[in-house]
Amino acid sequence: SAQIADEISRTGGTFRVQGGRNTLLINVEMLKENLPFALELSADVLMNPAFDAGELDNVKRLVKFQIDRMMRDAGGATSVRFNKLIYGDHPYAHMPIGTAESVDRVGPEDLRAFVARFAAPDNCVVGVVGDLSAAELKAALEKAFAGFKPAGVKLPEVPEVVKLEKGTKDDVTDPTKQMGVAMIGFQTV
């Protein structure tokens, strides 16, 4: 939100929340003197997620623009086809950013439910680098996250990746692309 961005900019730090194929991550970079503020902000975002509908609509427009741009790019379009060839029906075949249709289906309540389901201390790892002792970090975390309670997180079952039995290739001719892309890859999961 704009309020969080303003608070962060006053400290000269950065604050990002990001999701990937298998993770939800808060990344905070600040001076040591601002650690209590950074952890309090992180705790507030996790325990009281707002997901304002107007701001979410803006983010959804931006994400759909990124998806469109990626699909118009020869490398992006090739990457999408490549993942489908490597992973078939497995969730890894899908783009982490989603599709325009999946982005349209997500609303504030969906995001709040997602955070409530997965963002809990029994499903959390904390990594810190900097001039900070383990005791200092522990005390700061316990204070900022005092209300953060275990939720008995149950991770979803993920199907195994089906091993490729033989190599495969996919040739696509697209006269709208000015550049050609070749990808050669291997399953590693």
Side-chain angles (χ1 to χ4, degrees), residues 124-157:
C124 180
V125 173
V126 177
V128 177
V129 174
D131 180 24
L132 190 67
S133 72
E136 288 173 301
L137 177 61
K138 184 175 189 267
L141 283 168
E142 286 174 351
K143 182 177 179 191
F145 287 88
F148 201 37
K149 303 296 181 206
V153 173
K154 182 170 179 0
L155 298 176
E157 295 290 324

Side-chain angles (χ1 to χ4, degrees), residues 58-124:
N58 291 337
V59 170
K60 288 166 71 168
R61 276 192 291 279
L62 176 62
V63 169
K64 289 193 296 185
F65 172 77
Q66 291 170 332
I67 292 167
D68 182 63
R69 186 176 68 189
M70 181 177 68
M71 294 309 294
R72 290 176 189 269
D73 174 75
T78 302
S79 181
V80 170
R81 292 185 67 85
F82 178 81
N83 283 338
K84 288 183 189 293
L85 287 171
I86 288 278
Y87 294 113
D89 293 330
H90 192 275
Y92 281 174
H94 305 294
M95 297 183 299
I97 197 170
T99 63
E101 295 79 18
S102 68
V103 169
D104 280 336
R105 288 193 303 264
V106 175
E109 286 302 318
D110 300 308
L111 295 173
R112 282 190 281 274
F114 181 86
V115 171
R117 179 177 176 192
F118 294 109
D122 50 332
N123 189 36
C124 180

Side-chain angles (χ1 to χ4, degrees), residues 5-46:
D6 287 344
E7 291 179 35
I8 295 298
S9 68
R10 283 194 296 263
T11 67
T14 62
F15 184 91
R16 290 186 310 274
V17 179
Q18 50 197 92
R21 289 191 189 276
N22 303 307
T23 58
L24 173 63
L25 174 70
I26 292 180
N27 184 340
V28 183
E29 295 180 25
M30 290 196 185
L31 296 172
K32 180 180 176 180
E33 64 203 44
N34 295 320
L35 176 67
F37 166 72
L39 293 178
E40 288 167 13
L41 181 60
S42 299
D44 186 42
V45 166
L46 287 172

